[in-house]
Amino acid sequence: MTASAPQAAPAGTDYPGKTLGIVGLIVAIFFNLIGLIISAIALSQSKKAGYKNTPALAGVIIGAVLFVVGLIIGILSVVASMSMMGTTTY
């Protein structure tokens, strides 16, 4: 048995994970980790069915990037607030 490349869905048909991929992409913009998980599930469903799911892939990428950026900003803000509390004089 040979492995075939993911195929594009014929026009007018819905493939597994398509709607979930679009939802995951939108949610990834506002709620990064949740959107990342939803998009990963949609991408997995589409791969199992043999279809290419571009919105789900974009959701995974955007969710991961925005999550890491948010994490870095959170860490930097905690460090900055801790350093400001240490330098306060009364």
Side-chain angles (χ1 to χ4, degrees), residues 21-87:
I22 294 169
V23 169
L25 174 60
I26 294 168
V27 172
I29 294 170
F30 300 105
F31 305 102
N32 315 121
L33 187 59
I34 297 169
L36 174 64
I37 293 168
I38 292 171
S39 296
I41 292 169
L43 190 61
S44 174
Q45 288 177 353
S46 296
K47 279 188 178 180
K48 285 181 184 176
Y51 290 105
K52 184 178 177 183
N53 193 344
T54 306
L57 180 61
V60 168
I61 293 169
I62 290 172
V65 168
L66 291 179
F67 179 72
V68 169
V69 168
L71 197 62
I72 290 170
I73 290 172
I75 291 170
L76 290 177
S77 63
V78 167
V79 168
S81 66
M82 295 295 274
S83 68
M84 291 186 89
M85 288 183 2
T87 60

